[in-house]
Amino acid sequence: MELVDGHRVVHGTVKRAYPLQSLRQPTGGGAAEPADGELGTFGPVRSTFETCLVFFYDKWATKMQFLKRHYKIRISGRGLVALEWEAGAETEERVPCAVVAERDVLKKTLDRKPRMFTFPHSLSVEVAFEEPQRLPQSDQLKYLLSKTITTRDLHSVMRQTQIQVQAQPRKKPNYGKRTLSEAKISSPVYRYSSLAELVDGNADIYGVVVNVTLPKKTSGRDFCMTVSVTDESCPTRAEAIQINIFYPTVAQMPKIKYVGDIIRFHKIKIQQYQDKIQGLSLPRGSRHLVLREQADGNLEQLTCSETWTFEPSDEQRVRQLIKWAQKNLAKDATLPQGCALAPKLLTELKFAENFIDLVVRVLHLDDSEEPTRLIVWDGSGSTAESDRALVRALEDHGISVPATGVLKEVIMSSCWTIVRDMGFVDGMLTNWCRFRNLAVGIDEPLPGAASAPGGREILRFREVTSLVLMPDFTLDVKHRLALMNESTPAGTTPDSAASCEGGDTNVHQDQNPAASLVGVTTVIPNHIREKVPVTPLREILRSPKTPRKFHCCARVRGIWPTDIEKICKPKPGSRSEYIYSFALTVEEGADSLNIIVYGKDAEHFLHGIPPCDLTRSTTSKTLLEKRFAALSRSPQTFHWCIKSYSVSLPPARDGAAAGAGISGGPATAVRYRLFETRLQIS
């Protein structure tokens, strides 16, 4: 149960619907209590999402008696009473419950126990529901369009109908899916379910891969890997459904390489584990098909089955998911299940403890001898911080040394065989790679190289480490590309080799901190820039009219709060969604003005960096620090679109107001807010 716009809301899937019961009348003219059940008829409904019991009384119970297991239901409005119900006298367990009843039932209950709940001044309850239908020859369900029953609809129930319903003989309730009506679908043999509608049983599904682990040997004779998939009904990585896949050999495992690959499962087992839906793919009954779009536009199909079906409807669905995934993964800032922190940058290795997640490019791979060694880079930091042995290793193999960015090494031993058998080798040198759970430690340098003073940080690929290739459209890669472009000096490319003289590379050149600052400018709509004259800050501050829009030019003096991590905070009532909220101080001559940057206007201003938890997303934090540093240190003036508005101030005490010479009445102040202005890298 939660509060939405000040009203209680109960929503979820019906776990159990009890039949109508005719209850005894209370003695002494008292009223019924929801926990006692002493008046009228009721039918409690249990929600699997919040474990909440819902009691329907009298006319509401008669109206809602059609509810069965698997119905989706949402109850909201004024007059929904929240109580605690004593589930068992012996255990003294109390379960939250909601009561849906008419005014007379609630009033009589309060007459008997006045402090049981607060009597609602008005009753306007809405019950929205979606009826499930069983797919032919399947354990899964299809839901019809939502319908709504309101308080006004109660009076449409005829008295004769109520008598007939109550006179029906009681039957033993059947809570299975077989009691549901069968959906009328003219489709091929396989009927695919959306991920949000999965229920216990076998299912056929399509999904977009957002996370994957490497196959690992189980305690038995087979291997296991876990794949996290999403679709339009579960659009974020945090909502992804995990599927555990078992096969006797690694060769039979799905050859998933990229985030964004499409995978199809037939006859996987859907079950609940720790209150979450989970899939189970077993070698005897389940089948899989991995699909990805090739450079020529054709679909690559990978499976361990000798034969498989792929109809035109399958191709249409796959291409629909590919298009959706490219758009959705470019803005999904949530984290997959089990990932507590966003991937870090290589410059943050010194702050890492035990394990770290990274998104990097592999510049060199050496598997000529054990262990296999990778040289990785993500564009962060300075090349001067790189180990000289890694720089020479790139030069010896004719690989360009990046002009910016620190180099690090990943050592792979026993896991290299799994990585090679899963087909990652071909794409590791041409795509961004996401490593999860890399062990951080200190290791000796490359064989034959001199030892660096104090050792160096090294990354080890352990059995718990996973690897997946990342397309350029994913949000993590876009952040690193933006960071790389901002750090690249003008006239050079990120992958260009450093110019050297006498065999010495640029890693020994003096680093100029000012050179790392990016160039920024502000962009406003053309019709404002060309047709609306610039108003000086002095005139804006003197203008008494509100609300009013202005076009001004001023340089940035500072930002508040100064701690970048605090400019983004959780949305009210949410822990997973964030919103920008900060202020810029701009000045023109001796005049200065504070501009509030908030919400959608802030997202437009910081285009390309969606709001997120900046204490975890260090990549977004680094990008913001660079842009704000360039903005505040630039001597040039920027174009701004601002809007003035009035706010009421708390009333001052009479004595203080008289002493300050302020007349009576509500005090107001003028604030200024940014709109239609975007910060752009020049």
Side-chain angles (χ1 to χ4, degrees), residues 136-302:
Q137 301 177 356
S138 174
D139 293 328
Q140 300 306 306
L141 305 173
K142 174 190 175 183
Y143 285 89
L144 301 180
L145 295 177
S146 177
K147 297 181 180 179
T148 303
I149 296 178
T150 65
T151 304
R152 294 183 178 181
D153 298 328
L154 296 182
H155 303 287
S156 63
V157 181
M158 301 299 295
R159 179 175 179 81
Q160 184 66 26
T161 304
Q162 296 180 18
I163 296 175
Q164 292 177 357
V165 169
Q166 294 179 5
Q168 291 178 353
R170 293 187 179 181
K171 296 181 180 180
K172 184 177 180 180
N174 189 334
Y175 302 126
K177 289 190 285 285
R178 296 185 183 276
T179 61
L180 302 176
S181 59
E182 187 172 286
K184 298 179 180 179
I185 299 178
S186 56
S187 63
V189 178
Y190 297 103
R191 299 170 179 87
Y192 299 98
S193 302
S194 60
L195 299 181
E197 295 181 351
L198 291 176
V199 296
D200 292 356
N202 293 330
D204 304 327
I205 62 171
Y206 270 103
V208 178
V209 176
V210 294
N211 198 27
V212 63
T213 64
L214 292 177
K216 297 178 178 62
K217 196 75 171 66
T218 66
S219 57
R221 298 180 179 180
D222 50 8
F223 289 83
C224 175
M225 67 182 290
T226 302
V227 179
S228 299
V229 295
T230 63
D231 67 0
E232 298 90 339
S233 64
C234 298
T236 64
R237 293 186 292 180
E239 300 173 296
I241 304 297
Q242 290 188 341
I243 300 173
N244 296 322
I245 306 170
F246 293 87
Y247 275 106
T249 63
V250 175
Q252 295 173 286
M253 287 291 183
K255 296 303 182 288
I256 298 170
K257 295 198 297 184
Y258 296 87
V259 168
D261 279 353
I262 310 300
I263 188 166
R264 184 185 76 181
F265 287 101
H266 284 169
K267 304 302 179 185
I268 64 167
K269 182 180 179 181
I270 302 299
Q271 59 187 12
Q272 288 199 23
Y273 178 72
Q274 295 182 349
D275 295 330
K276 293 182 179 179
I277 289 293
Q278 183 186 78
L280 191 63
S281 176
L282 300 175
R284 290 188 177 182
S286 306
R287 295 293 181 265
H288 69 265
L289 179 65
V290 178
L291 304 110
R292 69 176 65 99
E293 190 174 32
Q294 297 177 311
D296 57 3
N298 294 325
L299 293 178
E300 181 182 10
Q301 304 179 30
L302 302 171

Side-chain angles (χ1 to χ4, degrees), residues 396-417:
D396 292 343
H397 290 84
I399 301 173
S400 300
V401 180
T404 59
V406 65
L407 303 176
K408 293 294 180 180
E409 186 179 40
V410 176
I411 296 180
M412 306 178 68
S413 53
S414 60
C415 299
W416 175 245
T417 304

Side-chain angles (χ1 to χ4, degrees), residues 628-639:
F628 282 129
L631 192 64
S632 59
R633 296 178 187 177
S634 175
Q636 72 181 68
T637 59
F638 301 96
H639 288 267

